[in-house]
Amino acid sequence: TTQHPFYDEVHPAGVQTPPQRYCIFMTFDMTAGTTATDLQSLLARWSAASAQLMAARPVGQVRPTSDVGVGRDTGEALGLDAAGLTVTIGLGTGIFDHRFGLANRRPHLLNALPSLPSDNLDTASSDGDLSVQVCADDPQVCYHAVRNLARMARDVVQTRWTVMGFGRASAGKGQQTPRNLFGFKDGTRNISTPADFDRHVWARDAGWMTGGTYQVVRKIEMNIEIWDADRVSDQEHIFGRGKSEGQPLTGTAEHDTPRFAEKAKDGTAVIAPTSHIALAAHENNDGIKILRRSYNYTDGINRFGQLDAGLLFIAYLNDPGHFVRLQRKLGASDLMNEYIQHVGSGLFAVPPAPKRGHYVAEELFR
Ligand code: HEM
């Protein structure tokens, strides 16, 4: 199966990579009293381990040579192949506060997200000093990677929040468009061309961050039981797209370009101006585009006995302000708001891929 390189790429793994089937997203806080050297050594260890894991190798011996030894790798991925694993490491705003003496190296666009209209954020599922996005086509390979990264960092970090995603809700090059838990195709008009990646995703002229990107993560709860009671024609009105084909309501095929100005006989717009796609489309936002690389998630059943599920929304973009701008509009008038709430949030700077023999964000410590 597929193996992706960790080293010697210009851009970080797990962004332009065609979305794998599963994703575990986890954030960590540096423990009180840790130093810049602890952070540096953690990033070096995580980088070396990520390269091993992505090559389907254990991160050390599973069976120690002595009878009193503890295993280094926990073992549950032995015999499994790489399953397209990628590890993507992000740095939160906390890394650049006073603790590590790195305040003057902060990427200039890495500012805490402002509060947004749709926010109902839970601090227990928001923020973190470091983020780890692990994606693979096998959930066991995903979990093994996250577990072992967490394990080797126990001396300097504590876990903060996590979401386990399945059923990728975005398409990469050549992939069929998958569906989110509202049953609609998701990722139809996503960034796909290298020119658009250069223009909208990769950080330019950004010093040590050049070639990296920013990661915006939102845990968005979806009230799927209420949604399922809604007429499909209303659901289509909410998105501005058909449910079966995913076509814009002004077209017949999924990839037809939506015509936002088109009017019905009664004079109203065919694609409602408050539909999700009308609000989010680049035509209506000064050309802004973001890469969406989301996954579906479920947390089982909530305290009201209802299905607890939603979208692990992950976006990559070279200016987090673009997300803020879109979300201000969506949060204010998206017809979908009745059915969703944003309960978790994080913003991270994702450095470019390291060269072999080096590690993620090494330049920060020069
Ligand atoms: C498009 C679902 C949240 C930005 C779409 C589409 C669906 C969808 C079905 C149409 C197909 C496509 O082009 O991909 C959802 C769901 C969400 C959600 C279920 C939450 C539970 C968001 C958020 C943002 C966003 C938070 C950004 C702030 C976009 C953009 C498009 C889009 C930019 C493309 C619009 C176009 O160019 O036509 N979304 N979305 N979405 N969504 Fe979302």
Side-chain angles (χ1 to χ4, degrees):
T1 63
T2 321
Q3 272 191 24
H4 297 294
F6 181 74
Y7 294 119
D8 296 333
E9 299 291 291
V10 179
H11 305 298
V15 179
Q16 200 161 6
T17 315
Q20 303 92 323
R21 284 180 212 276
Y22 300 91
C23 174
I24 298 186
F25 177 81
M26 196 176 278
T27 81
F28 299 86
D29 285 330
M30 295 295 293
T31 319
T34 48
T35 63
T37 311
D38 292 326
L39 174 64
Q40 186 176 11
S41 131
L42 172 66
L43 291 168
R45 287 184 289 147
W46 268 0
S47 299
S50 300
Q52 286 289 107
L53 292 162
M54 284 170 56
R57 294 197 205 99
V59 291
Q61 285 175 314
V62 172
R63 179 78 185 75
T65 41
S66 99
D67 278 349
V68 292
V70 173
R72 282 197 163 268
D73 186 285
T74 52
E76 71 274 26
L78 277 187
L80 300 177
D81 54 44
L85 180 76
T86 53
V87 178
T88 312
I89 297 168
L91 313 176
T93 52
I95 293 299
F96 302 96
D97 64 17
H98 59 279
R99 285 174 294 168
F100 307 108
L102 296 172
N104 61 351
R105 309 301 305 279
R106 184 172 55 83
H108 67 291
L109 298 176
L110 188 72
N111 302 305
L113 295 175
S115 53
L116 291 162
S118 55
D119 284 358
N120 190 3
L121 302 181
D122 182 352
T123 48
S125 51
S126 294
D127 305 326
D129 289 338
L130 296 160
S131 74
V132 172
Q133 173 200 271
V134 170
C135 302
D137 290 323
D138 180 333
Q140 176 116 338
V141 168
C142 260
Y143 194 68
H144 169 260
V146 131
R147 173 187 181 187
N148 280 272
L149 293 173
R151 183 168 186 255
M152 72 178 56
R154 251 188 335 207
D155 52 339
V156 289
V157 297
Q158 58 210 47
T159 54
R160 189 168 171 124
W161 61 290
T162 187
V163 179
M164 284 175 280
F166 64 92
R168 59 183 171 80
S170 66
K173 226 180 158 54
Q175 290 179 327
Q176 204 189 338
T177 316
R179 291 176 186 266
N180 57 43
L181 294 179
F182 283 156
F184 277 69
K185 288 189 184 172
D186 205 332
T188 300
R189 287 227 297 172
N190 211 350
I191 288 182
S192 63
T193 64
D196 268 357
F197 270 92
D198 285 340
R199 188 143 172 239
H200 301 283
V201 179
W202 307 127
R204 284 167 292 180
D205 305 326
W208 65 274
M209 266 287 287
T210 302
T213 180
Y214 293 90
Q215 176 189 59
V216 173
V217 181
R218 308 284 281 184
K219 183 179 180 186
I220 308 178
E221 244 176 47
M222 306 191 342
N223 306 326
I224 55 180
E225 282 162 332
I226 302 176
W227 177 261
D228 294 344
D230 190 25
R231 290 183 324 248
V232 171
S233 58
D234 189 56
Q235 296 180 345
E236 293 179 326
H237 177 69
I238 290 171
F239 279 114
R241 287 186 174 271
K243 194 163 187 175
S244 312
E245 295 302 319
Q247 82 285 3
L249 296 181
T250 50
T252 52
E254 183 191 350
H255 291 285
D256 287 352
T257 302
R259 292 188 299 270
F260 295 108
E262 194 167 303
K263 299 271 191 289
K265 284 200 200 76
D266 66 0
T268 59
V270 177
I271 298 176
T274 47
S275 66
H276 186 65
I277 67 163
L279 291 168
H282 63 92
E283 290 92 333
N284 304 330
N285 291 288
D286 296 329
I288 288 178
K289 292 185 185 175
I290 62 177
L291 175 70
R292 290 167 288 136
R293 206 175 183 287
S294 307
Y295 285 83
N296 302 321
Y297 77 82
T298 173
D299 280 344
I301 293 171
N302 71 18
R303 65 200 159 94
F304 307 111
Q306 299 217 304
L307 301 182
D308 191 349
L311 190 71
L312 167 62
F313 174 91
I314 304 180
Y316 290 99
L317 61 185
N318 56 18
D319 182 349
H322 294 170
F323 166 80
V324 171
R325 179 174 161 168
L326 292 184
Q327 188 47 39
R328 281 213 166 107
K329 270 177 80 180
L330 291 172
S333 34
D334 195 347
L335 293 170
M336 191 168 60
N337 288 338
E338 210 181 315
Y339 302 94
I340 61 170
Q341 50 181 331
H342 290 224
V343 296
S345 177
L347 169 66
F348 302 89
V350 179
K355 296 265 171 284
R356 190 170 297 277
H358 295 267
Y359 55 87
V360 167
E362 184 172 332
E363 281 171 67
L364 259 187
F365 304 96
R366 293 237 173 87

